[in-house]
Amino acid sequence: MSSKFALISKNIISSDFQLPIHGAIIIEDGLILDIMPYSKSIENYLQQTCIVEDLGELFISPGIIDLNVSFGYDGQLITTKSALSGGVTCIASCEKIIEDIYTDIAPLVYLSDENLQDLPNLISSGIFGFKAVMVPQNYNFPIINSHIEEALKIIGNSLPIFVHPEFFTVKSLMEIAPHRCIIPEEFPSTPSDCKIGEHPDTEERFSSEDEILPFSYSPNSTPTTKDIGGIRRTSFKIPTIIHPFEMSPPKSPDKKRGSLPCVLSVIEEKNKNEEQEEHKKSPKISERHSILCTVEGYSKPMPIQDLKCIKKEANFDYNLQHVESFPVEWEIEAVNRILNHATMEAKIHFLNVSSSTAIELIKSNKTSYSHLTCETSTPYLYFDTSSIKQRDGRYKVNPPIRDAKNNSLLWNLLMSQTIDSLSSYHQQFPPLQKLGEFNEASNGISSIGYLLPAVWTKLKRIVPAEFEKEALVKLSNWLSNNPANILGINRKGCIRRGKHADLVVWDPYEKFTVEKSENSLDVSPFVGEELYGVVLRTYARGKLAFSKCTKLSFPIGKVLKKD
């Protein structure tokens, strides 16, 4: 029996056309046999040769390729099933596949300082690229640090390198968490030694911009604060279920670990005269900008702006603290470090960039680097700091969700084609690590399956109604065509003769409210959001893999191998 069939629609989205077309897609043996403009004679011809289904006004888009997914707590079966229900037909992943999967997997390999000798064999092994992480993250990802230049030289332009945009020098770390690595004996002995906006000992001991921190320890999320005997104490000790990100220097016999200052007391009004007399002797610290603190038992007035990570009151804004702990400069440093070592022909793709400034930097280098691309992700386009719920750990991610101005600039860069692709940046954690206080939550947002409707919902709000269909073609390029080109998958990414019949049948004008699912995706910040864009079917290599009407889905995904 022939597997040939045809789908007719008034809204077929193809990158070969500026607007959706009225046509017929002929599918056989998992491939697109042809795409033909619609006419009644064509329909009559097809009805004589294969099964034909007319989908009317429903849209048919190419299957989504998600370049940035971590299976995490839910595992591969549940994650790929959720992805399929959102129109995703292919995922790029570094993880070894050990379960049944609902989407195809394009395998990647992490770069590390230990696998340089394996790179030549890996390049020819059928993988689609490498992923580079330069500082430790929540997951135990391998990292590449001291040998990044060698790795880039070996890989050349053979395969793409997907870079997590985060790197910092000792100096930039000190600017965020001052006094972290100061020998107590060298702490300034008089208030006049501590100027507002300066960090003692920083310039002398950390004069090199390129000094690299050793990563034998594991930095992860923002610091925690708790009450100890009536004192607010900020600690960087790693809790049992989360990994605080603030970097703790390695212990050594001759250097004690200096925690952030612990607030002992604010000088009360009755001591105001004494305080004023003290500040007359040391005018470089103003009265209104300092409080009495202690560092490893040594008491001293400290500039308030150096105490960003100390909990001062019950309604402390942990969201803002998190953003300040992951400054834009760290994304910029990551971009500069990679481009300083890469050849002009290298295939460099920056993943999950949250900062519009970092993307502007990438844009300015695209004329020099012939294969330089970047993406941002669902959380950064859909949310901003003004729209997320305060103290809600479900919104915590690294790099962080930034302010409304940055969000607006990201959309401008996307519409101007500066941003090449979009991803979900899905990272799933157990509920105990996400449902609770923001400062105790792990970094990562559950967003699988919401890439298409979330981005389209926001896009629909900013595009005039008469340009919506043109915007849908652009959306398809960001989600399918461009990711396929970046990965180098020749048979996916668009609706064209000879390509895999990976198709999404959906209604961009139907609304739905995201509800808690039967699995752990209820920790997603998208729960409760009203989105446009209901996925009705997903075809994977010509087979109906997901149907909303029948609530059926089938694990027919496979691990791909690069040609």
Side-chain angles (χ1 to χ4, degrees):
M1 182 178 177
S2 173
S3 61
K4 185 177 178 181
F5 66 99
L7 298 175
I8 296 175
S9 169
K10 294 180 179 179
N11 293 293
I12 296 174
I13 296 178
S14 172
S15 57
D16 293 332
F17 302 93
Q18 190 175 1
L19 294 171
I21 64 168
H22 187 187
I25 304 171
I26 299 96
I27 300 163
E28 186 174 25
D29 298 330
L31 299 177
I32 297 173
L33 191 64
D34 205 352
I35 176 171
M36 307 172 67
Y38 175 82
S39 67
K40 190 63 179 177
S41 60
I42 291 292
E43 182 177 2
N44 292 335
Y45 166 75
L46 291 174
Q47 288 176 345
Q48 296 174 14
T49 58
C50 64
I51 299 172
V52 178
E53 185 175 6
D54 192 338
L55 298 173
E57 299 283 346
L58 294 177
F59 282 67
I60 304 179
S61 300
I64 297 168
I65 299 174
D66 197 333
L67 299 178
N68 200 0
V69 173
S70 296
F71 297 124
Y73 176 72
D74 277 342
Q76 296 158 1
L77 182 83
I78 291 177
T79 302
T80 55
K81 183 178 181 180
S82 300
L84 189 72
S85 67
V88 177
T89 54
C90 183
I91 289 173
S93 174
C94 291
E95 300 178 39
K96 183 179 179 180
I97 303 303
I98 57 175
E99 302 178 46
D100 289 338
I101 50 177
Y102 284 80
T103 68
D104 288 344
I105 301 293
L108 307 175
V109 171
Y110 280 111
L111 287 176
S112 73
D113 291 324
E114 288 74 38
N115 70 354
L116 291 183
Q117 68 278 6
D118 300 326
L119 293 183
N121 290 333
L122 288 170
I123 290 170
S124 59
S125 66
I127 65 171
F128 285 84
F130 295 93
K131 184 173 283 191
V133 178
M134 292 181 282
V135 297
Q137 304 296 313
N138 283 317
Y139 295 99
N140 294 320
F141 295 146
I143 64 169
I144 181 87
N145 192 352
S146 55
H147 297 295
I148 187 68
E149 184 175 5
E150 294 176 59
L152 289 168
K153 186 175 181 180
I154 294 171
I155 297 169
N157 66 346
S158 59
L159 290 174
I161 302 172
F162 299 84
V163 182
H164 176 77
E166 184 183 3
F167 185 73
F168 43 77
T169 62
V170 172
K171 181 177 180 181
S172 63
L173 180 63
M174 288 288 290
E175 290 171 349
I176 301 305
H179 312 298
R180 292 303 315 284
C181 190
I182 294 178
I183 301 172
E185 292 76 10
E186 294 182 359
F187 198 77
S189 58
T190 64
S192 61
D193 292 333
C194 186
K195 301 177 182 179
I196 293 176
E198 295 185 3
H199 307 305
D201 209 28
T202 303
E203 295 299 327
E204 178 183 348
R205 296 176 59 247
F206 304 124
S207 58
S208 171
E209 289 282 358
D210 297 321
E211 184 173 358
I212 299 173
L213 289 170
F215 290 121
S216 57
Y217 40 90
S218 177
N220 288 305
S221 74
T222 44
T224 58
T225 305
K226 57 183 177 180
D227 289 327
I228 301 178
I231 298 175
R232 293 290 188 190
R233 179 173 294 276
T234 300
S235 171
F236 291 87
K237 183 178 180 181
I238 298 178
T240 54
I241 64 169
I242 66 166
H243 303 284
F245 187 86
E246 285 289 349
M247 182 74 72
S248 299
K251 295 182 179 180
S252 61
D254 61 336
K255 184 178 291 188
K256 298 179 182 179
R257 177 179 181 273
S259 66
L260 279 180
C262 306
V263 179
L264 295 180
S265 63
V266 177
I267 299 177
E268 297 179 358
E269 184 67 26
K270 64 181 180 179
N271 295 325
K272 187 174 182 179
N273 293 333
E274 294 179 14
E275 182 187 13
Q276 289 175 342
E277 289 296 319
E278 179 67 24
H279 279 283
K280 287 180 182 178
K281 301 176 184 178
S282 53
K284 294 184 179 180
I285 300 182
S286 69
E287 171 190 342
R288 60 192 174 86
H289 285 133
S290 65
I291 52 179
L292 186 63
C293 307
T294 188
V295 177
E296 296 291 341
Y298 193 100
S299 297
K300 142 132 256 106
M302 290 284 292
I304 288 177
Q305 69 266 29
D306 287 353
L307 308 179
K308 295 178 181 177
C309 298
I310 293 181
K311 184 175 181 179
K312 303 178 183 66
E313 53 189 45
N315 63 347
F316 184 74
D317 191 343
Y318 283 110
N319 304 49
L320 178 60
Q321 172 195 354
H322 183 59
V323 174
E324 291 178 344
S325 297
F326 296 86
V328 170
E329 287 75 17
W330 288 6
E331 294 188 49
I332 293 172
E333 285 181 10
V335 173
N336 282 328
R337 186 166 192 241
I338 292 294
L339 296 185
N340 286 342
H341 294 310
T343 64
M344 301 301 179
E345 295 77 28
K347 298 175 181 177
I348 304 296
H349 180 73
F350 288 97
L351 295 163
N352 47 271
V353 186
S354 74
S355 162
S356 61
T357 307
I359 293 176
E360 288 283 7
L361 175 61
I362 294 169
K363 175 184 177 181
S364 67
N365 282 279
K366 282 190 173 184
T367 54
S368 301
Y369 296 84
S370 54
H371 301 288
L372 178 60
T373 54
C374 67
E375 74 180 47
T376 191
S377 305
T378 314
Y380 309 129
L381 289 175
Y382 192 84
F383 301 110
D384 61 63
T385 52
S386 67
S387 64
I388 65 178
K389 298 177 181 177
Q390 294 298 307
R391 306 176 73 91
D392 190 335
R394 295 177 303 164
Y395 296 87
K396 189 175 181 181
V397 65
N398 168 41
I401 296 168
R402 303 193 186 277
D403 59 28
K405 180 180 179 181
N406 181 77
N407 178 271
S408 178
L409 291 172
L410 285 178
W411 275 104
N412 290 340
L413 291 166
L414 181 64
M415 298 304 292
S416 66
Q417 309 297 316
T418 300
I419 296 173
D420 301 279
S421 65
L422 303 175
S423 70
S424 66
Y425 192 20
H426 171 77
Q427 292 177 294
Q428 184 69 24
F429 288 93
L432 283 177
Q433 290 181 241
K434 293 301 291 182
L435 300 177
E437 285 288 349
F438 189 92
N439 65 311
E440 296 178 355
S442 295
N443 283 309
I445 284 182
S446 175
S447 54
I448 199 72
Y450 307 130
L451 175 56
L452 174 62
V455 176
W456 167 239
T457 298
K458 288 290 186 177
L459 183 60
K460 191 176 184 299
R461 294 176 186 173
I462 64 175
V463 173
E466 61 268 26
F467 296 112
E468 283 185 351
K469 288 193 173 182
E470 184 177 344
L472 283 164
V473 176
K474 289 183 178 180
L475 179 62
S476 175
N477 286 331
W478 298 326
L479 301 183
S480 304
N481 189 48
N482 293 354
N485 292 335
I486 291 166
L487 268 178
I489 299 184
N490 298 324
R491 287 201 161 187
K492 292 184 182 291
C494 64
I495 299 176
R496 189 181 296 158
R497 181 185 299 177
K499 300 284 187 178
H500 283 169
D502 293 347
L503 306 171
V504 184
V505 179
W506 66 300
D507 184 351
Y509 301 105
E510 183 178 347
K511 291 191 293 186
F512 70 101
T513 300
V514 178
E515 299 177 350
K516 294 182 180 181
S517 59
E518 66 275 7
N519 55 55
S520 63
L521 289 181
D522 58 353
V523 302
S524 171
F526 288 97
V527 171
E529 294 290 324
E530 189 175 69
L531 305 178
Y532 280 93
V534 174
V535 174
L536 300 171
R537 296 182 194 171
T538 305
Y539 290 86
R541 285 174 277 106
K543 296 179 181 178
L544 181 62
F546 165 78
S547 171
K548 182 176 178 62
C549 295
T550 60
K551 297 184 178 180
L552 293 177
S553 54
F554 305 95
I556 60 174
K558 66 178 184 179
V559 178
L560 305 175
K561 187 172 183 179
K562 189 172 178 63
D563 298 335

